[in-house]
Amino acid sequence: ADAIRERPSDDEPRLAAAAQMPAERGELVTVQCALARATEEERPALARRERELLAKHEEAWTGAWRHAAESWRWSRGFVEEVHFHASLVLAESLAAIGASEPGVRVLQLSLRLQDAEWDDIERVLASGRLSSVRLLRVHDPVHPRPGFFDGQVHEADRVVRALARAHGWPLEDLEMHGGVLADGSVAALAGSAIESS
C-alpha cells in the first residue's frame, strides 16, 4: 500500500498487491491496469470483464465506506476519486477509505447543511491515513451558527487546521468553496494554513 501511495503512476506496486489479494479483487487490478494501456482491439474484452467484476463485487469491495459516499471512480484497480457527504459516520468512512484504498488521489467532502463529528474528522485528516490524496475539495463548508461570535472555529477553519497538523501529507491542491469566513476568505485561510504546515 505504501508503494502505491508513493508511486501512483507506476503499475508495478499495484500488480504486486494484486497477487496478494483474493482472486477476483486482484483480477480487477490487473484488468484495469491492462485497460489503461490497451490497444483498440484489446479494449472491448477488458472493458467487459471490468464491468462483470464491478457488477458482481463492487458493493462488497466498497462496503466499509460506501454508505457515506455519493460517488466514486476506479482507476487501475483502486478507487481514485471519492465524493463524501457529511454524516454521522463520515470520520469512520474517511478512515476506512484511507486504510483500504491507497490509490485514492482526489477526495471531495460536501458538508452542506449537515452536522458532523468534527473532532473525529479532524483527527482522521491530521493522522496521515489519507496521505495518498493529492487534491482535496471541500464544498459548502461555511455555516455560521446562531449565538456564536465572529471568529469562531467554523467547519472550513477546522478542515484547514487539521491539514496544517498533518505533517508529511504531500497535498498538491486544496479547493474550498462555499463562502467567506468572519475574519477573511476561505482561500486566504487555506493558504496560510498550508504554508504553516
Side-chain angles (χ1 to χ4, degrees):
D2 288 343
I4 294 169
R5 292 186 180 98
E6 291 162 11
R7 294 153 52 195
S9 61
D10 189 351
D11 283 350
E12 187 177 334
R14 293 170 185 260
L15 296 172
Q20 307 300 316
M21 292 176 170
E24 290 189 312
R25 182 65 183 85
E27 186 183 359
L28 179 69
V29 178
T30 59
V31 165
Q32 287 195 326
C33 284
L35 193 55
R37 57 178 185 274
T39 65
E40 287 302 313
E41 294 77 22
E42 295 167 330
R43 290 189 65 80
L46 289 167
R48 183 170 53 253
R49 185 57 180 154
E50 175 192 45
R51 288 192 301 271
E52 291 170 354
L53 289 166
L54 289 175
K56 183 176 179 182
H57 296 292
E58 186 175 35
E59 185 170 352
W61 291 340
T62 58
W65 48 265
R66 68 181 289 134
H67 53 291
E70 290 186 1
S71 61
W72 56 88
R73 180 171 58 82
W74 295 86
S75 177
R76 293 159 55 235
F78 295 89
V79 172
E80 182 170 84
E81 179 170 351
V82 62
H83 175 188
F84 281 118
H85 56 80
S87 74
L88 295 177
V89 291
L90 178 57
E92 130 192 350
S93 300
L94 288 173
I97 200 163
S100 66
E101 293 297 335
V104 64
R105 306 275 295 162
V106 180
L107 178 64
Q108 178 170 311
L109 305 178
S110 290
L111 308 173
R112 171 181 335 129
L113 303 177
Q114 302 260 1
D115 290 323
E117 68 281 32
W118 277 101
D119 290 342
D120 292 336
I121 291 170
E122 276 193 278
R123 275 194 288 275
V124 174
L125 291 175
S127 71
R129 286 183 240 181
L130 293 162
S131 62
S132 62
V133 173
R134 295 297 180 268
L135 168 59
L136 176 63
R137 297 187 184 114
V138 182
H139 283 249
D140 302 301
V142 183
H143 308 301
R145 294 173 189 154
F148 281 76
F149 296 108
D150 285 351
Q152 70 159 71
V153 176
H154 297 307
E155 288 90 332
D157 303 81
R158 300 193 73 159
V159 169
V160 293
R161 289 176 193 181
L163 295 178
R165 288 168 39 215
H167 296 292
W169 185 357
L171 190 68
E172 295 167 3
D173 201 359
L174 171 63
E175 296 178 5
M176 302 191 77
H177 307 278
V180 176
L181 297 177
D183 56 351
S185 71
V186 170
L189 177 61
S192 64
I194 294 300
E195 286 168 14
S196 68
S197 64

